[in-house]
Amino acid sequence: MTKFLVVYLLCTFSFFLANLSHAGEFVWHGFGAQGVIQSSDSNYINESGDVSFSLTEVGLNTSYRINQKLRVSAQGIYINDGNRFNEGLRLDYLFLDYQLLSTPSWNVNAHLGRYKNYHWLYSATRDVPHTMPTIVLPQSSYFDAFRDASLGSDGISLIAQHHNELGELDMRWSYGNTSVNQEQTENLMSEFATGELEHDFDTQFSLSFSPLSSGVAMGVSMLRTDFSYDAGNNDVFIDGKAKLFRLMLNLTYSAEFWDINAEAMRERTDFIGLLSNGGIKDTVAEGGYVQGRLFLTPQVTLLARIDMFDADKDDRHGRLLQQNSGGAVPDYFAYRDQITFGASWDFHANWRVRAEFHKVKGRARLAPVFIPDTVTNDSEYWDIWALQVIYWF
């Protein structure tokens, strides 16, 4: 089945369900997005750097309330975004939502199954195009190669909300893991990785607070996740583990005609094995972004963002990276600084057209990670531009 037939069938089914969404206990929503994108002199979209129409996302989500305390939610999606994500159908989430406590000041819910990640500003909405601020999210915090793993996991999540005279306090905890297929393994590590990469577990905790009537929200989140690798035949990698620890801070402010969002992260990765020559070392990465939006009218929005990332805080300019690789990996793979300008226009009810341009310095946060593509990515500076039309119901 070609991707065009998949998109056609999902779109047809979407319009059919839109007419039935109020007919029973099920609540249906859906979306479709198609665009054009180009990433010059890089393998971010394709190896050629040519204009690509691989900017397609079509999804359906549903919620069914079984009783006053129990609800089930699910979303399936088809994605074709070039090298950014693995093409195909996937189940983004499928979980039972059980209300543990409901009082005038407290709400506590448990999600069991393939839950969503609510810990970061855009982690729970990156699966729906029209809920994201841009087509390409800030890569310092939302690395595209980890899209499926960071969207959610199979396990359990607890979400608590508390309201008082000071404001709203949100607390979240989750524990689970995700499956990693061979295509994802090669995308993360290298095409020379013939073994199996497993996501052992992922546990996160986050806390956020919104003072009453302030327009301000601030939060902190912590992540610990482990991956293990079993080497295959003729593999350049050996058996090993990667242990990742991440701390994130976020701040948002919303006014009538503008808003500002910012996230900063510090991520330590400890390696055991993986490369026989010791080419992978323990690192502490740092990054963050500041993003502002101006709402010219209820339909037109302008955006500007600065996004910065250093793969190793002790080697921000990549000199050690280039030296330790014997010159095989250029220094600009150690960092990525990105400026983004964008605009969106809601030209009709539930229709949006979005355009954006990214100027990038550095090649960090490009897949594959461990053995980068230095042939295609042969310069420090490169650009991304994209245009996309979105429909949702």
Side-chain angles (χ1 to χ4, degrees):
M1 183 181 292
T2 67
K3 67 176 183 179
F4 302 104
L5 182 57
V6 170
V7 172
Y8 172 77
L9 291 175
L10 286 174
C11 287
T12 303
F13 193 43
S14 300
F15 284 106
F16 173 73
L17 289 174
N19 295 324
L20 296 181
S21 61
H22 300 292
E25 298 294 334
F26 284 97
V27 177
W28 292 92
H29 297 285
F31 55 85
Q34 177 59 57
V36 58
I37 188 170
Q38 183 179 27
S39 172
S40 63
D41 301 319
S42 83
N43 69 333
Y44 182 60
I45 302 299
N46 51 39
E47 283 69 26
S48 66
D50 294 337
V51 173
S52 172
F53 290 92
S54 296
L55 193 58
T56 308
E57 297 184 36
V58 181
L60 293 170
N61 56 68
T62 183
S63 175
Y64 177 71
R65 183 166 296 280
I66 300 172
N67 54 47
Q68 288 187 341
K69 290 184 173 294
L70 190 62
R71 180 174 60 94
V72 61
S73 296
Q75 175 170 290
I77 189 172
Y78 168 80
I79 294 180
N80 177 25
D81 276 322
N83 293 341
R84 295 174 62 205
F85 312 126
N86 297 321
E87 181 186 359
L89 293 165
R90 68 250 286 153
L91 182 68
D92 274 343
Y93 59 86
L94 173 60
F95 62 86
L96 287 172
D97 181 357
Y98 182 71
Q99 188 179 74
L100 298 174
L101 178 66
S102 179
T103 71
S105 59
W106 280 96
N107 284 296
V108 182
N109 289 67
H111 294 174
L112 182 64
R114 181 163 295 177
Y115 59 82
K116 298 192 73 174
N117 176 6
Y118 290 95
H119 299 282
W120 316 337
L121 288 184
Y122 300 113
S123 57
T125 60
R126 67 182 304 180
D127 58 324
V128 180
H130 64 277
T131 62
M132 299 194 303
T134 51
I135 300 167
V136 178
L137 287 174
Q139 295 297 289
S140 62
S141 301
Y142 301 92
F143 184 22
D144 282 342
F146 280 96
R147 185 261 185 199
D148 292 342
S150 62
L151 181 64
S153 298
D154 298 329
I156 185 171
S157 175
L158 298 177
I159 300 174
Q161 294 179 320
H162 175 60
H163 303 267
N164 57 36
E165 65 277 4
L166 297 179
E168 178 180 315
L169 180 67
D170 293 271
M171 294 169 285
R172 311 168 195 90
W173 171 84
S174 61
Y175 182 92
N177 63 3
T178 57
S179 60
V180 182
N181 60 34
Q182 183 60 33
E183 188 177 357
Q184 291 171 320
T185 299
E186 294 179 5
N187 196 34
L188 290 170
M189 300 178 69
S190 166
E191 62 179 344
F192 306 109
T194 63
E196 294 184 1
L197 180 66
E198 293 187 2
H199 186 201
D200 298 327
F201 76 91
D202 177 297
T203 183
Q204 297 192 57
F205 175 79
S206 61
L207 188 68
S208 62
F209 179 65
S210 303
L212 191 65
S213 303
S214 67
V216 175
M218 60 197 80
V220 58
S221 68
M222 291 165 284
L223 174 148
R224 163 68 193 276
T225 186
D226 281 15
F227 292 85
S228 59
Y229 185 74
D230 294 325
N233 297 326
N234 302 316
D235 205 328
V236 300
F237 296 91
I238 62 174
D239 294 349
K241 281 185 172 289
K243 302 176 181 291
L244 189 147
F245 311 82
R246 175 186 278 202
L247 174 67
M248 292 185 69
L249 304 174
N250 64 70
L251 177 67
T252 68
Y253 177 75
S254 299
E256 183 178 2
F257 299 110
W258 60 278
D259 67 13
I260 188 168
N261 300 275
E263 287 184 282
M265 77 91 187
R266 182 183 175 94
E267 185 176 275
R268 188 178 92 241
T269 307
D270 297 338
F271 295 99
I272 303 172
L274 288 183
L275 274 185
S276 57
N277 61 5
I280 299 178
K281 67 184 184 68
D282 299 344
T283 59
V284 176
E286 292 180 339
Y289 70 90
V290 178
Q291 170 188 286
R293 292 187 297 179
L294 178 63
F295 308 113
L296 292 181
T297 71
Q299 293 78 34
V300 178
T301 301
L302 302 180
L303 176 142
R305 180 169 65 220
I306 298 177
D307 183 26
M308 305 180 72
F309 174 79
D310 294 318
D312 185 350
K313 72 176 184 64
D314 296 323
D315 186 30
R316 298 188 187 278
H317 301 290
R319 297 188 182 93
L320 290 177
L321 174 66
Q322 182 167 331
Q323 177 182 330
N324 293 337
S325 67
V329 180
D331 54 7
Y332 52 73
F333 278 91
Y335 52 86
R336 177 167 173 164
D337 301 332
Q338 191 162 333
I339 299 177
T340 301
F341 298 100
S344 67
W345 173 37
D346 295 348
F347 60 92
H348 196 272
N350 297 352
W351 285 91
R352 175 175 299 163
V353 60
R354 171 179 285 160
E356 61 195 58
F357 174 79
H358 307 256
K359 186 69 177 180
V360 192
K361 175 185 177 183
R363 300 282 178 160
R365 291 299 210 204
L366 282 177
V369 179
F370 292 160
I371 304 179
D373 181 355
T374 59
V375 176
T376 306
N377 303 287
D378 59 356
S379 60
E380 182 179 16
Y381 293 91
W382 52 292
D383 303 328
I384 307 169
W385 67 263
L387 178 68
Q388 190 175 48
V389 178
I390 309 169
Y391 167 76
W392 67 95
F393 66 85

